[in-house]
């Protein structure tokens, strides 16, 4: 039974009621336990845990340092294509938005890689929209080329079949991130109006296909702001526990994209505050201390400066979300608005000042 089958037998709203009914005693009990259950996680992410936030954050920091030492990894996204056949209501790349689309040629990709190398990065996250043009035929052309420039290669592209993931792994891909967006089925359907992404089962079962293919690291996450985030968080915690039970050879990473204004004027229906975001991320660290947690430039400089020394393992910086934008800065439509636009060196210096070792390739962070 896949995880998607498992959650379909349960009532999403029941978990919402469990979270709402959590008491300060439940939070205290969850804090006191050395290993936390999903019920404990529900208490830690609940409104009852808000007054405990300093203690939760302190425990999250302690667990992070024990497991990963004083390290933080720097990565950079490489946008190859903004062509997308899907119609996600919240995204600037959605097929409904009319602007000039492009997909980088191998020569343009090489140019981007050289520009990225000059910035010092060796961990690259390849990003594309979801379309037939950015499928396996295209990846066979560009991935070997990018791999020559990347000590650690990650991808955030459309969900693929198990055999495709095996092939990508053989090409040198180390990590694939595919976000679940929301576990609330009506919300999923309301926000994904067309294209292959309307197939919720195929998307939800992607981490399992990655596990079957033996991918080194699997990236998971929900889109914060789309549905009630506490209930979605519990479903994600359950999904992570499911992956640990069935695919324990792969590492897992967590990203927490929070909806920001996008082309098309979308406003998040369930906005998440920075304080709530901090609680959410720290609760995950307490639930699963092995999770590798990433933060992108969607978040503000002040929030990143605060949260990175506490719980973060990987941080992007100097990001450009327009294809071809590192080698040739241009005016094309970005996927989302970047909030922290400080240059890479400034962010690296800030991390060093906070006592962290900055790692430029992340083959095995914190394993030493
Ligand atoms: S979120 Fe992804 S799949 Fe949806 S429109 Fe944007 S690029 Fe396409």
């Amino acid at each position: 039974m896949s995880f998607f089958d498992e959650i379909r037998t349960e009532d999403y709203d029941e978990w919402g009621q469990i979270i709402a009914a959590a008491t300060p005693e439940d939070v205290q009990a969850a804090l006191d336990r050395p290993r936390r259950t999903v019920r404990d996680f529900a208490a830690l992410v609940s409104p009852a845990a808000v007054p405990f936030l300093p203690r939760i954050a302190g425990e999250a920091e302690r667990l992070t340092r024990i497991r990963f030492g004083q390290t933080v990894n720097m990565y950079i996204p490489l946008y190859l294509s903004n062509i997308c056949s899907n119609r996600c209501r919240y995204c600037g790349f959605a097929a409904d938005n009319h602007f000039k689309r492009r997909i980088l040629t191998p020569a343009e990709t090489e140019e981007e890689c050289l520009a990225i190398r000059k910035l010092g990065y060796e961990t690259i996250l390849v990003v594309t929209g979801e379309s037939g043009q950015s499928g396996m035929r295209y990846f066979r052309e560009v991935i070997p080329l990018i791999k020559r420039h990347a000590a650690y290669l990650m991808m955030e592209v459309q969900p693929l079949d198990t055999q495709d993931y095996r092939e990508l792994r053989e090409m040198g891909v180390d990590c694939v991130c595919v976000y679940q967006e929301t576990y609330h089925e009506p919300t999923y359907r309301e926000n994904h109006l067309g294209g292959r992404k309307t197939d919720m089962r195929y998307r939800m079962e992607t981490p399992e296909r990655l596990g079957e293919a033996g991918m080194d690291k699997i990236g998971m996450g929900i889109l914060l702001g789309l549905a009630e985030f506490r209930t979605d968080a519990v479903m994600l915690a359950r999904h992570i526990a499911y992956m640990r039970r069935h695919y324990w050879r792969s590492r897992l990473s967590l990203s927490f994209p929070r909806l920001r204004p996008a082309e098309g004027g979308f406003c998040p229906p369930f906005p998440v505050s920075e304080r709530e975001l901090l609680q959410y991320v720290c609760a995950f660290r307490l639930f699963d201390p092995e999770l590798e947690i990433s933060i992108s430039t969607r978040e503000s400089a002040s929030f990143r400066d605060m949260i990175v020394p506490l719980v973060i393992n990987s941080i992007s910086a100097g990001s450009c979300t327009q294809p071809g934008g590192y080698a040739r800065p241009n005016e094309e439509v970005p996927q989302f608005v970047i909030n922290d636009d400080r240059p890479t060196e400034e962010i690296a210096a800030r991390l060093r000042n906070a006592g962290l070792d900055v790692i430029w390739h992340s083959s095995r962070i914190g394993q030493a």
Side-chain angles (χ1 to χ4, degrees):
M1 193 192 257
S2 75
F3 182 72
F4 188 62
D5 290 320
E6 201 173 298
I7 58 168
R8 278 191 135 183
T9 61
E10 291 180 15
D11 189 352
Y12 180 98
D13 296 332
E14 256 176 45
W15 277 102
Q17 287 158 16
I18 291 169
I19 295 163
T23 63
E25 291 72 31
D26 296 330
V27 180
Q28 184 65 58
L31 272 167
D32 290 344
R33 265 192 265 283
R35 290 179 69 86
R36 282 104 189 175
T37 63
V38 173
R39 281 256 175 182
D40 291 331
F41 177 82
L44 291 168
V45 85
S46 74
V50 170
F52 293 81
L53 190 49
R55 280 191 57 200
I56 293 172
E59 176 65 359
E61 183 182 16
R62 189 184 73 81
L63 292 171
T64 304
R65 299 283 78 90
I66 288 174
R67 172 65 186 82
F68 299 100
Q70 293 295 123
T71 58
V72 64
N73 177 64
M74 301 282 286
Y75 74 94
I76 194 162
L78 165 55
Y79 278 73
L80 294 181
S81 163
N82 56 12
I83 302 170
C84 191
S85 316
N86 288 327
R87 293 170 56 223
C88 305
R89 285 182 60 224
Y90 46 81
C91 177
F93 283 4
D96 298 340
N97 294 330
H98 298 291
F99 60 90
K100 200 169 144 245
R101 310 268 180 165
R102 67 184 297 210
I103 183 164
L104 299 189
T105 63
E108 289 168 331
T109 304
E110 176 78 23
E111 208 178 27
E112 281 292 88
C113 289
L114 292 170
I116 283 174
R117 283 301 290 266
K118 278 194 195 143
L119 294 169
Y121 289 91
E122 294 182 38
T123 299
I124 297 178
L125 171 67
V126 167
V127 186
T128 68
E130 302 191 8
S131 78
Q133 287 166 79
S134 52
M136 283 304 291
R137 187 189 290 185
Y138 178 66
F139 295 145
R140 283 183 199 111
E141 273 191 283
V142 295
I143 292 298
L145 182 163
I146 299 167
K147 184 62 190 175
R148 291 205 295 272
H149 298 276
Y152 197 79
L153 182 54
M154 310 191 288
M155 294 181 86
E156 193 180 312
V157 300
Q158 63 191 304
L160 297 164
D161 292 341
T162 308
Q163 188 47 43
D164 297 330
Y165 287 136
R166 286 202 182 102
E167 197 181 330
L168 288 172
R169 194 168 59 97
E170 278 160 23
M171 284 184 225
V173 173
D174 301 289
C175 169
V176 174
C177 308
V178 176
Y179 303 127
Q180 290 68 47
E181 316 299 23
T182 176
Y183 292 89
H184 188 244
E185 203 165 336
T187 302
Y188 189 95
R189 304 216 176 283
E190 273 162 33
N191 282 283
H192 301 104
L193 304 174
R196 244 188 124 185
K197 201 166 170 179
T198 53
D199 187 344
M200 187 175 178
R201 171 182 289 280
Y202 190 68
R203 192 166 193 94
M204 285 287 161
E205 293 179 349
T206 305
E208 285 148 81
R209 293 196 300 281
L210 283 161
E212 273 158 34
M215 193 57 68
D216 175 49
K217 188 156 69 174
I218 302 169
M220 301 173 74
I222 53 169
L223 192 51
L224 291 149
L226 210 52
E228 199 288 300
F229 82 96
R230 298 177 201 276
T231 316
D232 257 350
V234 170
M235 304 312 274
L236 176 57
R238 296 189 54 211
H239 201 169
I240 287 168
Y242 175 97
M243 292 297 295
R244 292 282 188 219
R245 280 198 305 280
H246 294 270
Y247 302 101
W248 47 270
R249 283 196 175 86
S250 295
R251 294 187 284 159
L252 298 179
S253 72
L254 172 77
S255 297
F256 45 98
R258 188 162 63 127
L259 273 171
R260 312 255 315 128
E263 182 75 1
F266 182 83
C267 280
F270 293 90
V272 176
S273 71
E274 288 191 347
R275 195 186 63 175
E276 289 169 332
L277 193 54
L278 176 65
Q279 181 186 356
Y280 170 91
V281 177
C282 291
F284 270 107
R285 172 64 75 221
L286 268 59
F287 175 65
D288 185 338
E290 301 281 312
L291 265 185
E292 296 180 24
I293 305 181
S294 296
I295 190 168
S296 78
T297 49
R298 283 178 189 240
E299 297 302 332
S300 68
S302 58
F303 183 73
R304 281 162 41 106
D305 288 346
M306 180 274 297
I307 199 170
V308 170
L310 290 179
V311 278
I312 299 300
N313 302 110
S314 300
I315 173 172
S316 59
S319 303
C320 174
T321 64
Q322 293 115 326
Y326 294 112
R328 297 165 194 259
N330 55 55
E331 302 279 296
E332 286 173 25
V333 174
Q335 188 188 23
F336 58 86
V337 179
I338 287 187
N339 218 341
D340 184 357
D341 58 3
R342 292 174 294 175
T344 297
E345 243 337 295
E346 187 181 330
I347 292 179
R350 184 138 200 139
L351 296 171
R352 287 188 204 102
N353 285 341
L356 294 166
D357 291 334
V358 177
I359 312 279
W360 297 90
H361 60 88
S362 67
S363 51
R364 282 281 164 188
I365 55 171
Q367 298 272 313

